Amino acid sequence: VSQSRYRAMQQLSPAYRTVFNLYVFENYSHQEIADALGINVGTSKSNYAKARKNMKKLLLKNQGKTI
């Protein structure tokens, strides 16, 4: 993971970062994440989508671009 991506991940909320890390790096399914965290599958999917959106914004901001 590049330094800029690592810094962006650190800026995510704990809920978004946890779901993002489990899905991307640990290859958990949304069902597995939901079971492990005691949340709904829909919440896992929503948190992942929001994490991706926030990561994109943070990475573009760090590059000096805005969306």
Side-chain angles (χ1 to χ4, degrees):
V1 177
S2 71
Q3 284 288 352
S4 61
R5 287 184 181 164
Y6 180 77
R7 283 192 301 269
M9 282 189 293
Q10 294 302 102
Q11 294 178 52
L12 294 174
S13 73
Y16 293 174
R17 185 171 55 245
T18 300
V19 171
F20 185 85
N21 286 340
L22 289 173
Y23 190 79
V24 173
F25 298 112
E26 301 297 329
N27 296 312
Y28 278 40
S29 69
H30 286 292
Q31 184 64 59
E32 291 170 322
I33 294 168
D35 292 343
L37 301 179
I39 59 176
N40 293 322
V41 172
T43 302
S44 176
K45 291 178 180 181
S46 175
N47 285 354
Y48 175 69
K50 290 175 184 176
R52 286 188 63 205
K53 182 178 178 181
N54 288 343
M55 284 283 292
K56 183 176 181 179
K57 283 183 184 179
L58 290 165
L59 290 169
L60 290 173
K61 180 181 174 186
N62 290 340
Q63 293 177 355
K65 300 176 184 177
T66 57
I67 57 171

